[in-house]
Amino acid sequence: MTDTADVEYRVVAENVQKAFGDNKVLKGVSFTVARGTATAIIGPSGSGKTTLLRTLNALDRADAGVIRVDDIEIDFSTPTPKPEVRRFQSRSGFVFQGHNLFPHKTVLQNIIEGPVIVQKRPKEEAIADAVELLDQVGLAAKKDQYPYQLSGGQQQRVGIARALALKPKLVLFDEPTSALDPELVGEVLSVIKDLADEGWTLVIVTHEIQFAKQVSSQVLFTDGGIILEKGPPDEVIGNPKEARTRQFLERVLNPL
């Protein structure tokens, strides 16, 4: 693998494989993500998009392959000590489809949970950062409310603030708008676009094709457990080389 001292890439993945029983979900996936860029992963249901994303945080541990996130590299074909896996996981923040907020905690309490409990940061520092992040996602006035008092879009924005509160090197989004009513999608996509514009390193699994084209520097099209096509959005979405990519985009962009 490339020298881990090389700072050009935030993520380097080589030959990543993952199976659930007899179902080979990832069949040797390789790609890189440059620092300060957004990468969109698109593809049909069951193509391995979410599993690929989850391997980048070891939420799903790969069966084989090497993944480097920032300065931590793991060869998943060999046993890895738990402390090293935790260090690997600490380099990224994860935004889930379904918010995954603690229902019995306020917005502020949800955001400071990770920094205080996991990272052992001073509570006062975590609160100050959380207030700043809530202002960034347009929810400063909601800090003392509970998740049930928020709309789905607001809950997802809290989820984004919670991920950012960990000060990650990489932010992973798993179809962040798929559980939202259509009228709430725009507010979440706007926050993600702002993060991309600010130079965060993002990897986004999304079915919002036009958003992927607008916000990303790189698009990965997955199908059948492999990356079938990758490149700039103007190429992969605007002028795809592969017939399967063209077929998928035609069906998604022109459903009738």
Side-chain angles (χ1 to χ4, degrees):
M1 186 169 221
T2 53
D3 186 350
T4 55
D6 176 8
V7 297
E8 180 181 356
Y9 295 113
R10 183 69 77 192
V11 178
V12 180
E14 292 187 358
N15 195 32
V16 178
Q17 302 173 46
K18 178 65 180 177
F20 295 99
D22 294 332
N23 182 20
K24 295 182 179 180
V25 181
L26 300 177
K27 302 174 182 177
V29 172
S30 301
F31 67 99
T32 59
V33 176
R35 293 176 184 239
T37 66
T39 292
I41 304 176
I42 64 173
S45 297
S47 63
K49 304 186 299 297
T50 290
T51 299
L52 175 56
L53 192 76
R54 290 172 65 90
T55 62
L56 299 182
N57 188 252
L59 288 170
D60 285 338
R61 182 184 171 89
D63 299 325
V66 180
I67 302 176
R68 173 161 61 88
V69 176
D70 199 48
D71 59 336
I72 304 294
E73 178 176 299
I74 292 182
D75 183 344
F76 286 96
S77 61
T78 61
T80 306
K82 286 184 178 180
E84 190 69 3
V85 174
R86 286 194 290 268
R87 287 184 64 225
F88 177 81
Q89 292 175 321
S90 73
R91 295 306 187 263
S92 57
F94 205 100
V95 179
F96 299 87
Q97 291 185 34
H99 325 310
N100 283 21
L101 301 178
F102 296 112
H104 60 289
K105 293 181 181 291
T106 66
V107 165
L108 185 66
Q109 290 169 338
N110 265 279
I111 294 174
I112 69 172
E113 177 86 3
V116 173
I117 303 300
V118 178
Q119 297 180 334
K120 310 301 183 184
R121 287 164 51 195
K123 187 174 182 179
E124 296 76 12
E125 175 189 314
I127 289 173
D129 286 348
V131 170
E132 184 176 328
L133 287 168
L134 283 171
D135 184 60
Q136 183 177 349
V137 300
L139 292 174
K142 305 290 186 180
K143 67 182 180 67
D144 295 320
Q145 294 193 359
Y146 289 86
Y148 76 88
Q149 296 175 296
L150 306 178
S151 70
Q154 290 171 333
Q155 290 185 48
Q156 192 61 294
R157 283 187 279 157
V158 173
I160 293 171
R162 181 180 59 182
L164 299 180
L166 297 170
K167 300 183 182 294
K169 303 296 185 181
L170 169 71
V171 188
L172 307 170
F173 294 85
D174 184 16
E175 298 196 22
T177 61
S178 64
L180 300 180
D181 292 334
E183 62 183 322
L184 302 176
V185 168
E187 66 185 70
V188 174
L189 296 184
S190 178
V191 170
I192 299 172
K193 184 178 185 304
D194 288 344
L195 296 178
D197 291 342
E198 291 167 12
W200 288 83
T201 306
L202 313 176
V203 179
I204 310 160
V205 170
T206 183
H207 59 274
E208 302 284 347
I209 302 300
Q210 293 300 341
F211 171 72
K213 186 175 182 180
Q214 179 185 23
V215 78
S216 63
S217 302
Q218 172 182 231
V219 175
L220 312 179
F221 173 70
T222 63
D223 191 38
I226 63 172
I227 296 176
L228 195 60
E229 189 162 356
K230 59 186 172 183
D234 285 347
E235 293 181 9
V236 176
I237 297 175
N239 188 28
K241 298 181 178 67
E242 299 290 335
R244 180 66 183 100
T245 314
R246 292 194 295 271
Q247 179 190 55
F248 169 78
L249 292 170
E250 177 68 23
R251 289 176 175 173
V252 171
L253 297 175
N254 302 290
L256 297 180

